Amino acid sequence: MATGYSDITYVLASQGLLAPAFLVMILNIWSTAQGCVYSGSLSLGNTLSIDRKYLVIGFGALGTLGAVLGFYNYFGQFINFLATTIPALGGVFIADYLVTYRNGYPSLDGGMIPQVKWQAFLAWGLGIAANYLSFGIGQVNSILVAFLMEAGLSLWIEKIRNVNNTKIVSENV
C-alpha cells in the first residue's frame, strides 16, 4: 500500500529489492507458461500423433518469437477477437448436441457423420455478426443466433435428406 503498486514485482523493486523482484517475476511467468505448454503439447500431441518434445520446442519458439515481435502490445485486441468469435461456437455445439444428434451420436465406423458441416460455419459466422447487434448482451446474442441457425439448418437438411431417401426407396420398389 505504501508503494502505490499492486504488482509484487513493482513493490519489491521500489524497496530496492530488484534481484528478488526479477526472480519472482521469472518464477511466476515460468510456472504459468509451463502448465500451458504441458497441457497444449499433451492435447495436440495426442490429437495429431506428434512427439511432445517437438511441440514443446515449437511452442517455446513461437512464444519467444511473439515476445520479440511485441505480441504483448496486441494482446488486448487478441482477447477481444476471442471474445467476439468463441461464444458463437458454444451456440453451434449446443444445437449440434440437442438438435442434430438428439438421439445419440452415430458410430464413427458407419460413415454417418459428415466430414464438414458447412451449415455450422454459416451459423458460426452469423453468430459472430450477432455479437455486433445494438441491443442485448453481445455474447448472449451470439450464442442464441448461432444456436438457432445451426438448429434450423440442421433440421432443414435432415428433412431434405429424409425426402430424398424416401424418393430413392420408392423408386427402387
Side-chain angles (χ1 to χ4, degrees):
M1 191 83 140
T3 63
Y5 295 108
S6 61
D7 189 346
I8 188 67
T9 307
Y10 289 120
V11 171
L12 292 172
S14 68
Q15 295 176 1
L17 301 170
L18 194 57
F22 183 72
L23 183 64
V24 167
M25 181 185 70
I26 293 296
L27 291 175
N28 179 27
I29 292 171
W30 184 342
S31 65
T32 304
Q34 184 271 336
C36 292
V37 168
Y38 175 77
S39 65
S41 65
L42 188 64
S43 299
L44 202 57
N46 287 333
T47 303
L48 301 177
S49 299
I50 298 175
D51 193 3
R52 273 193 50 233
K53 67 181 172 187
Y54 298 119
L55 290 170
V56 168
I57 291 168
F59 288 154
L62 282 174
T64 303
L65 181 65
V68 168
L69 294 176
F71 177 74
Y72 184 76
N73 297 330
Y74 303 102
F75 190 68
Q77 294 170 353
F78 177 68
I79 294 297
N80 285 339
F81 169 76
L82 292 178
T84 303
T85 58
I86 299 300
L89 283 176
V92 171
F93 293 158
I94 293 167
D96 199 49
Y97 179 76
L98 293 177
V99 176
T100 307
Y101 298 110
R102 61 191 169 278
N103 297 326
Y105 288 99
S107 170
L108 294 176
D109 298 331
M112 297 298 294
I113 297 177
Q115 288 186 355
V116 177
K117 287 184 64 178
W118 297 107
Q119 74 267 18
F121 284 102
L122 177 63
W124 182 38
L126 291 172
I128 292 170
N131 199 19
Y132 295 102
L133 294 176
S134 61
F135 65 90
I137 301 170
Q139 286 77 12
V140 175
N141 294 342
S142 181
I143 293 169
L144 289 175
V145 168
F147 173 84
L148 293 172
M149 289 306 300
E150 172 65 15
L153 289 171
S154 291
L155 291 172
W156 182 60
I157 289 172
E158 182 181 333
K159 185 176 180 180
I160 290 172
R161 284 189 183 140
N162 289 339
V163 168
N164 288 340
N165 288 340
T166 304
K167 286 181 183 178
I168 291 171
V169 169
S170 64
E171 289 174 3
N172 290 337
V173 174

